[in-house]
Amino acid sequence: MFVDLLLPLHIPATYTYRVPRDLEASVAVGVRVVVQFGNSGSRLYSALVRRIHDQAPPYRCKYILSVLDLAPIVDEHQFSFWEWLARYYMCYPGDVMSVALPGAFKLASETTVAINPQWSGDLSALSKQQMQVVTLLSSHPTMRLADIATAVGQQKILPLVKTMVENEVILLTEELRDTYRPRTIPYVVLAEDYRDEEALKLLFDDLERHRRTAQSDILMRYLQLSHFHYDAIPRRDLPQGSPLITLIKNGILLVEQRDPLTIQNTAPTSDPQPPTTQSLPTLSDEQQQALDTIRSSSRPTLLHGVTSSGKTEVYICLIHHILATTPAGSQALLLLPEIALTEHLIQRLRRYFGTTIGVYHSRLASSQRIEVWRRTAAPPASRYRLLLGARSALFLPFQDLRLVIVDEEHDASYKQQDPAPRYHARDAALLLASQWHAATLLGSATPSLESILNAATGKYTLATLKHRYAGMPLPTLHIVDLRQAYRDHHMHGHFSQQLLDAITQTLAAGKQCIIFQNRRGFAPHLVCDDCHHIPQCIHCDVSLVYHKSTATLRCHYCGYSIPVPEQCPACHSSHLKMDGAGTERIEEDLQILFPDARIARLDLDSANNKNTHFQTVDDFANRRIDILVGTQMVTKGLDFQHVALVAIPAADSIINYPDFRAVERAYQVIQQVAGRAGRHASGAQVIIQTFNPAQLPLSYLHTPSSESDIRTPTSESDLTSLLLRERQMFRYPPYHRLITITLRHRSPETLNSAADSLAAQLRTLFGPRVVGPEYPLVTRIRGLYLKTIMLRFEKSEPIADAKPLIMQAGDDLKKQQGMTALSIHYDVDPV
């Protein structure tokens, strides 16, 4: 028997291994096996079985060393999805596997081992080899698996280590950070001695003779719950107290710790409806019409609804309908662009779907991710039916996926930047849904131009919500001309008098404010007033950002930081000043201007752990904060009842960015953050400060896209139509497809030579479709210089045929002399 194995490595293909006869019965497609990989053969990895066959390869292949799983952890649906991602996004299946599997499922010989601090120290139960490992770890607190294998003289070290981990003698380093143990609950079962009719009758007679009525009642309750089949039942289902403890102490009932996911519920499951703890939300006529449109469509649907129009209520009713009208165990997936939104939404969804909801994202602990993974693939009775998560939730082992919803489908956070696969979760979700023949819904108040065009051309069905829920009006928009404000001396730091007056009125009315500043830190630059020198990162070609809370200058690309200098490093002048404003400075200035207000900040620096963000959001929702200053974390998906003012002090920093999507992105961000205001009361306002009120997209904010504009985007006064015409003219998405190739090397000379060579090779294949090579906006990151090449293809062209040729050209270049340290990254459909 031979197996083709998929390893979590950047390698182009599967590798064939031989199966020892004693392991043939244990091998199945989708289980993990332990193998040696590499020329030296000393490195061990856990790999997935992709195919089982009897065809010997033309080379001498190694044997697999052991099988790690009793049942497959990956099925054919997942393999098919991974392989599509690898083909489409120009990477290897091993790259996808590395991202898709939870970390606890991946084991390699680089893993280090330590003695479990909870181990009793009992040596009598250890084998000779286990004693050697314990002795080694007594003198070396942590060791690599490869080093242990060498010291012990045992090649197949992973089975030994696995046994010691299961016996809780040692821990892997990943488990030291986050130990995983399958969740178990106590079950009770009747002892074997009482499982025949005569013995059971004698037991009841004895209990009655000694007047132990409570014990007799508990025993009868057990028999009823087990349907008189003596099955194990959860201990919590029996009356608690001393009678139950006595039955257990006397050996009549036995307690066993069992994994609830491995026990099928024998109760009938004729009613497929998910448990609801609250009646479904009442929909308006417009919401009901949108829901009917979605339910009747056989194509993906774009739900375009203004902010606070009640898209979430439509989601809830749609999810309930799908799960209630499909077989028991069917599942739905709701994708969110930010991890931060999951906790806010999960509280609302649990009112309607109870405990059938699973949450999955990268910030969960390893044990929690494994638990959600197992509950997703569990038998129908104990399976999660609604999965909620960020883009990584696409990789869960769904068993019967019937609905996929992508909320805020326009958001750039759905795009994975590093590492490969550099996939877009929205597009990947459409493919995943098509594999399962599941319904698909994309929702947004500011849809992407790609989705707008798909709706206009009939590829998507369009459903619209033009009005806010309960008839709430949209907030009033005010654009402040900063040039005029400075001329009239109406500026106080970074705030115009109009904005300060609005904040004062809002606080006086007992309402709340959101201040959106798209830069974290205190100031973007520290500048010498004499020579205008700006301190730069030594690893990246960017300036250092001043963070007052830590008194450091920090690089937001690589994390490099230095203390704030007392004098200019270039001219030794002491005339240093802060240029610009980040969230820290806005927060500090507001505290000076409004000393009685309760002000908090929400950005990547303040939300430094998974609970800080949730606590800040909760404090703001419960009015323990008056003014919330934040970056894009505050712009989307959050529903606050008392926000009457949203302000953007520096709109130009959002708009003036050298990217063809800059205007589209700025419009989306502004509309999203503006949508946080006035969701439950009238009279809200949005104030935007800018030096150029006539620039795009500010001049179009008063004319949001309507349904007719999306169906036929040709209106001269519509921003969507203007942007689409520009994209078509200059050959950008959604009319053309882009592939960006980024080359990285420590030597700029080598990089230039490699980029020119690759561009020349690609031009022989694709002619004028090749643009570049060019330096990107940031030319060096983490010590590596960057150059990019872009390829533009019309949508009608067979881009799938071009991708292997592009990758082959890159592989050929890396094989040339002096190019081994060159890295080449491919980004399909960059955002």
Side-chain angles (χ1 to χ4, degrees):
M1 180 184 287
F2 296 88
V3 288
D4 292 341
L5 301 182
L6 181 62
L7 290 110
L9 302 171
H10 183 67
I11 50 179
T14 56
Y15 281 77
T16 302
Y17 281 74
R18 193 164 192 157
V19 182
R21 291 197 179 277
D22 61 330
L23 294 180
E24 287 183 356
S26 305
V27 170
V29 173
V31 301
R32 292 174 302 153
V33 297
V34 178
V35 294
Q36 294 175 328
F37 185 78
N39 294 331
S40 65
S42 63
R43 301 179 69 178
L44 304 176
Y45 292 91
S46 59
L48 284 170
V49 176
R50 184 64 188 95
R51 189 169 74 98
I52 303 173
H53 57 89
D54 58 2
Q55 302 162 7
Y59 51 86
R60 183 180 178 183
C61 59
K62 300 174 185 176
Y63 282 91
I64 66 172
L65 303 180
S66 64
V67 180
L68 295 177
D69 302 307
L70 298 176
I73 64 167
V74 176
D75 60 24
E76 192 60 39
H77 273 288
Q78 290 169 277
F79 277 127
S80 177
F81 182 54
W82 293 5
E83 287 158 2
W84 177 85
L85 282 173
R87 287 194 305 271
Y88 187 87
Y89 290 103
M90 299 177 68
C91 63
Y92 298 138
D95 297 325
V96 184
M97 174 186 172
S98 184
V99 169
L101 283 184
F105 279 154
K106 293 175 287 187
L107 184 65
S109 56
E110 292 81 9
T111 304
T112 57
V113 176
I115 292 178
N116 186 350
Q118 305 299 323
W119 178 49
S120 65
D122 181 14
L123 302 177
S124 61
L126 300 182
S127 67
K128 180 181 177 181
Q129 291 85 358
Q130 292 173 345
M131 280 286 294
Q132 287 179 279
V133 173
V134 170
T135 303
L136 281 168
L137 292 174
S138 298
S139 55
H140 302 84
T142 60
M143 292 186 68
R144 295 191 312 132
L145 288 183
D147 296 333
I148 292 177
T150 302
V152 176
Q154 183 168 333
Q155 190 177 30
K156 299 181 180 181
I157 194 66
L158 279 186
L160 174 64
V161 168
K162 183 171 180 284
T163 301
M164 296 181 73
V165 170
E166 290 172 350
N167 293 335
E168 300 185 347
V169 178
I170 61 174
L171 293 176
L172 306 179
T173 50
E174 289 84 357
E175 292 178 310
L176 281 173
R177 292 194 301 268
D178 217 334
T179 57
Y180 170 70
R181 296 287 181 272
R183 184 174 67 89
T184 60
I185 61 175
Y187 279 71
V188 293
V189 64
L190 188 66
E192 286 282 351
D193 294 344
Y194 305 101
R195 291 191 183 185
D196 63 75
E197 187 175 344
E198 184 63 28
L200 196 59
K201 182 177 182 302
L202 291 174
L203 175 60
F204 274 107
D205 289 344
D206 183 64
L207 293 175
E208 184 178 353
R209 186 167 55 253
H210 291 89
R211 298 181 179 180
R212 295 170 180 166
T213 308
Q215 294 181 37
S216 180
D217 291 344
I218 289 175
L219 197 57
M220 181 56 69
R221 178 62 177 161
Y222 162 79
L223 292 171
Q224 292 171 345
L225 290 174
S226 66
H227 303 284
F228 293 88
H229 291 141
Y230 313 121
D231 294 329
I233 65 168
R235 178 174 173 170
R236 62 172 177 256
D237 291 350
L238 295 176
Q240 304 300 304
S242 57
L244 176 60
I245 294 173
T246 304
L247 286 172
I248 295 170
K249 183 178 179 180
N250 293 337
I252 298 171
L253 291 178
L254 305 178
V255 178
E256 301 174 354
Q257 295 292 331
R258 294 194 178 187
D259 183 349
L261 302 190
T262 63
I263 300 177
Q264 283 269 17
N265 187 352
T266 56
T269 55
S270 57
D271 183 6
Q273 293 195 13
T276 54
T277 57
Q278 182 174 310
S279 59
L280 293 175
T282 302
L283 301 183
S284 66
D285 292 342
E286 187 178 46
Q287 287 174 314
Q288 187 62 51
Q289 183 179 354
L291 180 61
D292 293 341
T293 300
I294 297 164
R295 287 168 52 177
S296 62
S297 174
S298 59
R299 296 168 292 172
T301 302
L302 173 64
L303 177 60
H304 179 207
V306 298
T307 54
S308 191
S309 58
K311 293 185 289 295
T312 302
E313 283 72 19
V314 175
Y315 297 162
I316 291 169
C317 291
L318 178 63
I319 292 168
H320 186 272
H321 168 75
I322 293 292
L323 297 185
T325 57
T326 51
S330 59
Q331 294 168 309
L333 170 64
L334 173 55
L335 285 182
L336 301 169
E338 293 279 359
I339 295 171
L341 301 181
T342 55
E343 191 67 22
H344 181 75
L345 187 57
I346 195 74
Q347 295 173 2
R348 297 177 64 183
L349 293 176
R350 280 207 172 113
R351 301 176 204 155
Y352 304 101
F353 301 102
T355 59
T356 62
I357 301 175
V359 182
Y360 191 83
H361 52 71
S362 59
R363 278 211 173 174
L364 290 178
S366 177
S367 59
Q368 293 173 306
R369 297 180 76 186
I370 294 291
E371 193 72 25
V372 175
W373 184 283
R374 296 174 73 239
R375 287 286 298 271
T376 304
S382 51
R383 180 182 300 164
Y384 280 140
R385 300 199 65 191
L386 172 58
L387 281 306
L388 179 72
R391 57 177 182 260
S392 58
L394 287 170
F395 298 112
L396 286 168
F398 300 103
Q399 300 300 297
D400 186 13
L401 188 60
R402 297 301 182 103
L403 172 66
V404 177
I405 299 175
V406 184
D407 190 29
E408 308 292 359
E409 64 84 26
H410 67 277
D411 200 286
S413 300
Y414 280 124
K415 178 70 172 181
Q416 163 103 350
Q417 300 298 338
D418 279 305
R422 295 169 180 84
Y423 67 99
H424 198 298
R426 177 197 61 209
D427 302 338
L430 290 166
L431 186 279
L432 180 67
S434 69
Q435 288 183 338
W436 283 98
H437 305 289
T440 314
L441 176 63
L442 311 180
S444 177
T446 53
S448 63
L449 290 184
E450 286 82 356
S451 295
I452 288 176
L453 188 62
N454 284 333
T457 56
K459 188 175 180 180
Y460 294 167
T461 299
L462 178 66
T464 57
L465 297 172
K466 300 179 182 179
H467 306 95
R468 283 191 154 189
Y469 188 69
M472 287 295 109
L474 290 167
T476 305
L477 176 68
H478 303 281
I479 296 180
V480 177
D481 187 344
L482 290 179
R483 295 172 299 181
Q484 187 65 42
Y486 274 107
R487 281 196 296 265
D488 296 342
H489 304 289
H490 288 168
M491 292 297 296
H492 303 269
H494 300 279
F495 307 100
S496 64
Q497 186 62 50
Q498 183 175 348
L499 175 54
L500 293 179
D501 291 342
I503 295 174
T504 302
Q505 294 166 9
T506 302
L507 297 179
K511 300 294 184 179
Q512 294 172 296
C513 310
I514 290 178
I515 311 297
F516 171 63
Q517 182 74 357
N518 203 33
R519 289 180 182 272
R520 58 190 174 101
F522 190 86
H525 309 112
L526 180 70
V527 185
C528 174
D529 214 11
D530 293 335
C531 72
H532 302 287
H533 171 78
I534 298 175
Q536 301 282 312
C537 176
I538 62 173
H539 306 296
C540 312
D541 286 342
V542 294
S543 59
L544 297 175
V545 178
Y546 173 49
H547 287 255
K548 188 173 183 178
S549 60
T550 56
T552 58
L553 298 177
R554 191 184 309 166
C555 174
H556 287 178
Y557 282 86
C558 71
Y560 169 78
S561 65
I562 59 173
V564 177
E566 295 182 359
Q567 58 183 11
C568 174
C571 70
H572 306 292
S573 168
S574 58
H575 299 150
L576 302 176
K577 66 176 183 179
M578 306 300 168
D579 186 27
T583 49
E584 279 187 32
R585 186 164 190 172
I586 295 294
E587 179 189 21
E588 182 179 285
D589 290 352
L590 287 171
Q591 200 71 70
I592 296 171
L593 293 166
F594 301 95
D596 297 329
R598 295 166 296 178
I599 302 172
R601 175 166 50 90
L602 188 60
D603 56 24
L604 194 61
D605 299 318
S606 64
N608 51 12
N609 64 61
K610 65 181 180 181
N611 296 319
T612 304
H613 175 274
F614 302 144
Q615 185 60 52
T616 303
V617 170
D618 183 68
D619 288 344
F620 191 67
N622 289 287
R623 307 182 73 177
R624 292 187 287 270
I625 296 171
D626 300 315
I627 303 176
L628 182 63
V629 180
T631 55
Q632 291 199 38
M633 287 184 171
V634 303
T635 65
K636 44 202 169 191
L638 299 174
D639 185 16
F640 301 116
Q641 292 191 14
H642 304 286
V643 175
L645 173 65
V646 166
I648 306 177
D652 299 321
S653 65
I654 311 171
I655 302 169
N656 298 325
Y657 194 80
D659 184 85
F660 72 92
R661 298 185 193 271
V663 172
E664 177 190 7
R665 289 273 167 73
Y667 177 81
Q668 291 168 343
V669 168
I670 292 170
Q671 291 282 40
Q672 289 288 337
V673 71
R676 301 314 104 199
R679 298 173 73 90
H680 297 269
S682 58
Q685 55 183 329
V686 177
I687 296 180
I688 300 173
Q689 297 186 162
T690 175
F691 285 97
N692 184 7
Q695 67 182 320
L696 295 177
L698 300 180
S699 55
Y700 283 87
L701 288 177
H702 62 285
T703 56
S705 297
S706 64
E707 179 179 358
S708 60
D709 293 325
I710 288 183
R711 291 189 188 279
T712 55
T714 56
S715 169
E716 292 294 328
S717 61
D718 178 54
L719 178 63
T720 298
S721 302
L722 174 63
L723 294 178
L724 284 173
R725 287 197 301 273
E726 285 186 351
R727 299 282 183 86
Q728 189 169 26
M729 182 185 305
F730 295 107
R731 298 191 299 155
Y732 280 114
Y735 297 100
H736 284 69
R737 310 184 76 168
L738 303 183
I739 298 176
T740 300
I741 306 171
T742 302
L743 295 86
R744 292 177 168 89
H745 200 278
R746 292 196 176 276
S747 166
E749 293 78 13
T750 304
L751 177 68
N752 287 330
S753 173
D756 292 341
S757 176
L758 181 58
Q761 176 65 23
L762 293 175
R763 282 194 175 90
T764 63
L765 297 170
F766 305 110
R769 298 179 185 85
V770 180
V771 179
E774 298 289 346
Y775 284 110
L777 183 64
V778 180
T779 58
R780 186 172 59 114
I781 297 177
R782 297 184 179 92
L784 297 176
Y785 291 89
L786 284 68
K787 259 197 165 179
T788 60
I789 301 171
M790 186 172 67
L791 290 94
R792 277 195 283 230
F793 296 88
E794 290 190 10
K795 278 205 164 182
S796 58
E797 294 181 295
I799 189 172
D801 298 335
K803 291 174 183 176
L805 298 176
I806 297 169
M807 294 185 72
Q808 186 60 52
D811 292 342
D812 293 342
L813 175 63
K814 293 178 69 174
K815 293 176 183 176
Q816 295 179 16
Q817 186 175 0
M819 295 295 178
T820 54
L822 177 72
S823 65
I824 303 177
H825 295 164
Y826 305 97
D827 191 358
V828 180
D829 301 333
V831 298

